[in-house]
Amino acid sequence: MEGRLPEPTAETLREAAEKLADSAEAVSEIAVSAAAAVDPWLLPHRLRILRFVGDRPGLNLTRLADGTGMTLPRASRMCATLEAAELIERRPVRGDRRGIGLVLTERGASLLADYRDRRATRIADVMRHMPGDSALALLAGLRSFVSSLADAEDP
């Protein structure tokens, strides 16, 4: 097919993987800085729980533990810490007399929104320094990468 690029070689894929890993670390540093700017207490493991609960309001502790790869006791302790900080709360689940779901409090939702805004603003600032076609190519590549994650086999 005319105009189609050749398939990447193993060497090219390895180089791309290394560049992507380096870029991911840089973006991770931006995320950590954004979290610290919002609240120095907001460490990555706490933020991870907030993001997970914020994206899945009402999930139970078992689903949280499974989804984040934590043990159930660790997830429970983390939630107790976030609950004491008034960032999440446990609520009864409608239609399930014994079910308890996790939700963000207003303060937790506000803190998470502030974090996401700061993170996106900083990344957008970096992307403004890229040529327009490079920024668009990056976006297209990231969309393709994310959609391929589901198809990729675990190592």
Side-chain angles (χ1 to χ4, degrees):
M1 180 178 276
E2 196 172 315
R4 184 180 164 114
L5 296 175
E7 290 295 317
T9 65
E11 185 177 310
T12 303
L13 285 175
R14 176 65 185 200
E15 180 183 350
E18 288 173 1
K19 293 285 186 198
L20 182 58
D22 289 343
S23 299
E25 287 178 5
V27 170
S28 180
E29 290 173 12
I30 289 171
V32 169
S33 294
V38 170
D39 186 334
W41 182 83
L42 194 57
L43 300 173
H45 61 281
R46 292 175 181 148
L47 181 60
R48 184 173 181 213
I49 299 286
L50 286 180
R51 287 189 351 253
F52 205 84
V53 171
D55 292 343
R56 298 159 190 83
L59 84 160
N60 66 25
L61 196 55
T62 301
R63 284 186 47 218
L64 173 68
D66 290 345
T68 58
M70 293 182 185
T71 63
L72 192 55
R74 180 158 192 253
S76 182
R77 286 191 306 272
M78 295 284 301
C79 285
T81 299
L82 292 169
E83 196 170 17
E86 299 179 350
L87 298 175
I88 65 169
E89 62 185 19
R90 300 169 201 241
R91 290 189 183 160
V93 175
R94 287 185 186 165
D96 183 351
R97 293 184 302 139
R98 294 182 291 160
I100 300 293
L102 302 166
V103 295
L104 296 179
T105 62
E106 188 174 315
R107 180 173 180 256
S110 175
L111 190 135
L112 185 58
D114 189 12
Y115 158 74
R116 286 179 165 159
D117 182 60
R118 287 173 187 264
R119 179 187 63 181
T121 298
R122 178 66 179 115
I123 292 170
D125 287 346
V126 171
M127 291 181 70
R128 276 187 195 85
H129 288 87
M130 297 172 65
D133 58 340
S134 293
L136 292 174
L138 174 62
L139 181 59
L142 289 172
R143 285 180 177 151
S144 179
F145 181 82
V146 170
S147 69
S148 296
L149 282 174
D151 299 333
E153 294 180 4
D154 290 340

